[in-house]
Amino acid sequence: MFQDPQRRLGEGGDAGEVVSGALEKSTVDLASELTMMVESQRSYTANSKVFQTGAQLLDVLVNLVR
């Protein structure tokens, strides 16, 4: 059947090994990731308010026509 080329047994070789209690170094800059998350959340909120205001204006226009 189909074999995933990324799947290897952890028995040494080029697959590495699992070490109990070891700490992993992170390549993620936590401060910049949190900053980007806050900016994204604020942008989403602003866009949501724009759509909500547009819907309210359209509702007012429809009621004026009646």
Side-chain angles (χ1 to χ4, degrees):
M1 201 95 205
F2 179 77
Q3 186 177 11
D4 185 0
Q6 299 298 319
R7 189 174 293 171
R8 297 190 175 109
L9 297 175
E11 298 173 352
D14 64 345
E17 62 184 85
V18 177
V19 179
S20 176
L23 294 177
E24 179 180 339
K25 289 185 178 180
S26 177
T27 59
V28 175
D29 181 16
L30 188 59
S32 67
E33 291 296 323
L34 286 173
T35 301
M36 288 185 349
M37 182 183 71
V38 169
E39 288 175 352
S40 298
Q41 185 177 17
R42 287 180 181 169
S43 177
Y44 176 82
T45 301
N47 286 333
S48 175
K49 287 180 181 180
V50 166
F51 282 113
Q52 184 178 17
T53 303
Q56 289 172 347
L57 287 173
L58 185 60
D59 190 39
V60 168
L61 288 174
V62 166
N63 287 333
L64 286 175
V65 172
R66 290 182 186 178

